Amino acid sequence: MSTPLWEARADLVVVGTGVAGLTAALRARELGLRVLVVTKASGEDGNTRWAQGGVAVVLPGEHDEGDTVDAHVRDTLVAGAGLCDEAAVEAIIAGGPAAVARLRERGAVFDAAPTGGLARTREGGHSAFRVVHAGGDATGAEVERALLSAASDGRVPVLEQHVAVDAVRTPLGQVCGLLVLDGNGVPGVLGAPAVLLASGGLGQLYQATSNPEVATGDGLALALRAGAAAADVEFVQFHPTVLYTGRGARGRCPLVTEAVRGEGAVLVDATGARVMRGVHPLEDLAPRDVVAAAITRHMAAGPGGVDDHVFLDATGISDFARRFPTVHAACLAAGVDPAGQPIPVAPAAHFACGGVVSDVDGRTGVTGLYAAGEVARTGLHGANRLASNSLLEGLVVGTRAAEAVAADLALGVLARCSASASVPVELPTAPVAARDSLQRVMSRYAAIGRDAEGLAVVGSVLDLSTADRELDTRELVEDAALTVAARALIAAAAEREESRGCHVRTDFTERDEVWWQRSQVVRLNPSGQPVLADPVVARGVA
Ligand code: SIN
């Protein structure tokens, strides 16, 4: 037991400064709540700013002929490979136009079409041009800039360099605050009847990822320790095209947005043969799981002479540098000129389709704990997220979660934190594996193409490299989160004896519609190990 050295109070503490967290914080402030945002890095360091493609949305009066919100719903359900929660999909996608309008009111500037209205592009799995974008391929950066600027008037304080360790809970298990460590490892309590996790994903489970260093699954681990459930964690989406910069790439790799294929680029191997020809009717614009798996198979078979990358031929895009300035700069830095040469690319870990089980208002099963954005599993993504649906989800669910907190406060169903913030708290102890070993085995055995034997190897390596540690530094909090996330993922992946969406089993190659059209739920057992809840639950888990 240790008494926290400092404390602060709010109505709502938001963990994370990405699109979902800042949207929620701004909406909460509009509703008159005292809100405090906490991030383990600096305000700009989240995943949002790396998003390139855009926001998928069917805007009234600005869409392809025949495109509708229903068509966007259908494309999302098809991409999700039978595991989406249809009601959640409908609610979130229907909320898109209003969410984008609010974002523009807050100052975000989207690219204009020469003919008027917003420019729209297309990405994998979309049946129409409905992805609006900013700065060419810098949509996330513009969204982040606009939201941070809207929050910068001092009424949304952002506590930087503070890592969230654990939820503080009442004896009845309701959340009443957050235990954090400051940059020097000094513990403190942020007392609040509502905590919203908007802490992003877990790409750092793997050696190569499009995600920044902060994406270590902290929110998932915190929610599990607080008694919440997670679902669909086996579905980690690999982006088909990050820039290949040589064998053994590590950490965040530059993304080559799918919109490049939307504008006509095609995947080829070293001989110039088309990778996606004959694989799917949409060819290079097939859903992302299909493209990433096809590239992986193509590389393994080595028909084009290389085994660790293919190429994206974008030489037909005449104004590449203007349309895709971020990708263009990354390519030039790697010595590739996309105007004259195909871009070397390979798949890398990109997005957690599963996460903390929550409804479209961000409510989890734990009173006072909410989740929005990539950390949450609302049922929008199912077994494979449709491209550019994630910024959309952050905008819509971020807003709804703030409104849910305000409603729950008004109803008096949340725990009052007045007494609890001064109660001594204990820094948790949790299993922590060595990050290098974890990333190596996850990349080798739990990426695209898994089998029972490989998943068991991951378990054995984690057993050997794990020790219980008190979580008294940011690094230990992150490593504990990666450890529990890896354990949850391999438990769910081993159990799911079929291939579906982002989960590709080489020993169970078929999709099983009879038993496996259902989500698996993971919770922590009393000794802190993730276990599958029994029974598995059907679609629409909440
Ligand atoms: C991309 O631009 O290809 C990524 C967008 C997304 O992940 O939705």
Side-chain angles (χ1 to χ4, degrees):
M1 277 306 170
S2 61
T3 304
L5 293 186
W6 54 273
E7 63 178 65
R9 279 160 206 273
D11 297 316
L12 169 65
V13 170
V14 175
V15 183
T17 53
V19 57
L22 290 174
T23 300
L26 287 164
R27 182 68 185 129
R29 188 186 69 179
E30 279 168 5
L31 295 170
L33 305 189
R34 286 174 310 158
V35 57
L36 177 60
V37 180
V38 56
T39 170
K40 65 181 177 181
S42 62
E44 309 70 37
D45 279 344
N47 221 352
T48 293
R49 85 170 150 120
W50 301 105
Q52 294 185 352
V55 183
V57 65
V58 181
L59 295 172
E62 283 190 51
H63 50 74
D64 285 8
E65 202 181 323
D67 194 18
T68 58
V69 168
D70 284 350
H72 186 181
V73 167
R74 266 197 309 279
D75 291 346
T76 301
L77 296 174
V78 169
L83 282 199
C84 296
D85 176 334
E86 213 163 316
V89 173
E90 284 168 3
I92 293 170
I93 288 178
V100 169
R102 245 186 331 263
L103 180 64
R104 294 177 75 189
E105 278 159 29
R106 289 189 170 129
V109 179
F110 285 86
D111 295 336
T115 49
L118 296 186
R120 299 189 304 276
T121 191
R122 194 172 157 200
E123 291 184 67
H126 285 279
S127 57
F129 283 73
R130 62 166 81 100
V131 176
V132 297
H133 47 84
D137 58 5
T139 312
E142 173 58 10
V143 169
E144 188 76 20
R145 182 206 61 73
L147 293 175
L148 278 172
S149 150
S152 68
D153 64 1
R155 288 196 294 142
V156 178
V158 179
L159 199 54
E160 298 184 324
Q161 315 300 339
H162 283 67
V163 63
V165 182
D166 246 347
V168 180
R169 288 184 297 149
T170 67
L172 290 177
Q174 296 165 299
V175 168
C176 59
L178 189 69
L179 174 62
V180 300
L181 293 175
D182 74 11
N184 298 315
V186 176
V189 163
L190 308 176
V195 171
L196 171 68
L197 298 173
S199 48
L202 39 66
Q204 294 291 328
L205 278 178
Y206 296 90
Q207 289 174 307
T209 171
S210 62
N211 295 183
E213 288 61 34
V214 292
T216 49
D218 309 359
L220 177 69
L222 187 151
L224 285 169
R225 284 199 296 272
D232 294 337
V233 285
E234 63 271 42
F235 299 107
V236 174
Q237 181 174 75
F238 278 63
H239 196 286
T241 59
V242 303
L243 184 62
Y244 173 83
T245 51
R247 232 170 241 289
R250 297 283 181 275
R252 193 187 69 77
C253 306
L255 192 64
V256 179
T257 174
E258 210 159 272
V260 176
R261 276 176 282 133
E263 309 275 333
V266 291
L267 289 157
V268 294
D269 64 22
T271 68
R274 293 276 300 273
V275 174
M276 292 305 298
R277 183 124 305 152
V279 174
H280 189 279
L282 290 172
E283 297 197 331
D284 294 86
L285 285 176
R288 200 170 274 178
D289 56 335
V290 175
V291 181
I295 293 173
T296 305
R297 283 196 306 274
H298 204 90
M299 293 189 309
V306 281
D307 63 0
D308 60 354
H309 64 284
V310 292
F311 298 89
L312 185 61
D313 186 348
T315 52
I317 301 177
S318 56
D319 55 351
F320 192 95
R322 186 199 56 78
R323 175 64 183 84
F324 300 109
T326 313
V327 177
H328 188 249
C331 288
L332 291 189
V336 176
D337 178 4
Q341 294 166 268
I343 306 167
V345 291
H350 183 60
F351 190 87
C353 299
V356 182
V357 175
S358 42
D359 64 15
V360 292
D361 297 309
R363 292 188 183 93
T364 71
V366 176
T367 302
L369 188 66
Y370 302 77
E374 189 173 351
V375 68
R377 182 274 185 204
T378 56
L380 174 64
H381 309 308
N384 173 56
R385 176 177 62 95
L386 184 66
S388 286
N389 267 358
S390 49
L391 290 178
L392 171 76
E393 184 183 38
L395 292 167
V396 173
V397 180
T399 302
R400 292 179 68 129
E403 291 167 356
V405 170
D408 292 349
L409 279 168
L411 281 174
V413 295
L414 301 182
R416 283 286 140 200
C417 54
S418 50
S420 58
S422 55
V423 170
V425 291
E426 201 168 357
L427 284 174
T429 296
V432 174
R435 194 181 294 204
D436 275 1
S437 314
L438 178 147
Q439 290 175 330
R440 198 163 341 107
V441 283
M442 288 296 291
S443 304
R444 172 77 182 80
Y445 297 111
I448 302 176
R450 306 159 168 178
D451 63 21
E453 211 176 309
L455 293 166
V457 172
V458 179
S460 307
V461 170
L462 292 180
D463 288 344
L464 288 171
S465 75
T466 298
D468 281 350
R469 305 286 301 272
E470 188 181 56
L471 305 185
D472 58 2
T473 65
R474 167 175 162 179
E475 198 184 356
L476 284 167
V477 171
E478 291 181 337
D479 286 345
L482 289 171
T483 305
V484 80
R487 290 268 187 208
L489 189 156
I490 60 167
E495 188 71 14
R496 185 175 284 281
E497 294 183 334
E498 66 154 358
S499 290
R500 177 188 297 271
C502 312
H503 172 69
V504 179
R505 287 280 301 248
T506 51
D507 50 354
F508 292 94
T509 53
E510 299 302 314
R511 186 156 141 179
D512 171 359
E513 298 299 11
V514 179
W515 174 251
W516 275 119
Q517 196 174 343
R518 60 189 72 213
S519 290
Q520 299 186 91
V521 172
V522 177
R523 289 183 185 276
L524 292 194
N525 69 12
S527 47
Q529 288 297 330
V531 288
L532 295 173
D534 188 31
V536 288
V537 293
R539 278 191 301 165
V541 55

